[in-house]
Amino acid sequence: NNLTQHIQVSPIKFLNTLSKEFSTKENAYFNVWKRAEKEMRKDDSSDYTNEQKVVDTILKTIPAGSILHLGNSLPIRHVSSNPYLKNAAEVYCNRGTSGIDGSTSTAAGHSMSDVRIHVLITGDLSFLYDSNGLWNKYLKRNLKIIILNNHGGRIFHHVGGANIQPELDEYFITEQPMNFEHMALQFECAYKRCGKNNNITKAVEFLFTESNRPSILEIDIK
């Protein structure tokens, strides 16, 4: 129960060497997940699928080479297997508890020290919890925030155990009716709001045409 050896080598070299020791074969477990994902995407009526489609459009629209920051819990799930993720140069995500992940503070701080475009995709609760990350006078115009507002922590609809509790809506999801227009005004950010059925591509493009200050796009998923 203690460390006995330390191999000083780059991760890429180590993994490349390790991979040569294993033969490529069909992975039945992986295929089960791929079939499940395919079936899930067929259900166009679910909020989860609608949100996934919005994220697909966002990732296709952001400029290549952007730095992408992701909030917990649905945003990171929507993006993790997305084919359009290649548009991002780097991807960052903090692991927090119940939406308290500090992703807004991370994105804001990183954008202050890096001239590239920083795009944060976050949920409404994560943004509310960490809104003080914008409470400073050093924000730069390269910070672009996209809030997926489904009015609560909808991940708990998909978490076994929590989704059958009578307290689901009140204490797990924490349903809330807010929008973020006045919060954007308070922090002197450009702001636009649209629904899931609006032209998401044009709405996302708004973020990158606003060049004088940070900008916030709120997409109402429900």
Side-chain angles (χ1 to χ4, degrees):
N1 294 326
N2 65 298
L3 183 66
T4 58
Q5 188 174 1
H6 181 200
I7 302 174
Q8 296 188 21
V9 64
S10 72
I12 293 177
K13 185 174 181 180
F14 173 77
L15 293 172
N16 283 337
T17 303
L18 188 65
S19 67
K20 295 175 183 177
E21 301 296 323
F22 299 95
S23 59
T24 303
K25 61 180 180 181
E26 192 71 18
N27 191 321
Y29 183 71
F30 174 77
N31 290 332
V32 169
W33 276 103
K34 291 298 290 183
R35 287 196 296 271
E37 180 185 27
K38 187 176 181 179
E39 288 301 313
M40 180 274 293
R41 288 177 179 266
K42 286 182 180 179
D43 183 9
D44 290 341
S45 63
S46 72
D47 287 338
Y48 188 95
T49 303
N50 287 331
E51 195 164 309
Q52 180 68 62
K53 289 179 177 179
V54 168
V55 171
D56 290 349
T57 303
I58 291 170
L59 293 180
K60 282 189 287 186
T61 308
I62 65 172
S66 299
I67 307 301
L68 188 61
H69 298 265
L70 301 170
N72 285 293
S73 285
L74 280 180
I76 186 65
R77 286 169 168 81
H78 286 316
V79 171
S80 60
S81 61
N82 197 293
Y84 305 108
L85 188 55
K86 61 186 179 183
N87 285 352
E90 300 170 13
V91 181
Y92 296 91
C93 181
N94 299 335
R95 182 55 187 153
T97 302
S98 302
I100 308 173
D101 50 45
S103 55
T104 304
S105 293
T106 297
H110 197 174
S111 68
M112 293 174 195
S113 61
D114 189 321
V115 298
R116 292 174 292 182
I117 293 174
H118 288 255
V119 181
L120 168 64
I121 303 176
T122 184
D124 49 296
L125 290 191
S126 287
F127 186 76
L128 282 168
Y129 283 136
D130 194 32
S131 60
N132 276 353
L134 304 182
W135 185 26
N136 65 80
K137 59 183 179 181
Y138 307 107
L139 295 179
K140 293 188 174 182
R141 61 188 183 185
N142 60 334
L143 177 62
K144 314 294 181 181
I145 299 173
I146 301 173
I147 304 170
L148 304 177
N149 190 355
N150 53 24
H151 300 281
R154 301 293 164 183
I155 183 62
F156 290 107
H157 279 150
H158 309 283
V159 176
N163 59 358
I164 61 172
Q165 300 303 317
E167 303 89 355
L168 175 65
D169 290 339
E170 182 72 16
Y171 296 112
F172 287 84
I173 293 177
T174 320
E175 290 191 339
Q176 55 81 24
M178 296 177 60
N179 66 66
F180 298 94
E181 180 177 4
H182 292 284
M183 189 175 289
L185 180 65
Q186 172 181 319
F187 294 122
E188 298 183 346
C189 295
Y191 173 83
K192 186 177 181 66
R193 184 183 181 201
C194 72
K196 64 187 178 186
N197 297 319
N198 295 120
N199 189 327
I200 303 298
T201 299
K202 182 172 288 188
V204 174
E205 288 174 349
F206 149 81
L207 290 174
F208 308 107
T209 56
E210 173 59 56
S211 59
N212 295 321
R213 52 184 174 158
S215 49
I216 296 175
L217 170 63
E218 177 182 350
I219 302 175
D220 202 317
I221 300 297
K222 288 186 69 64

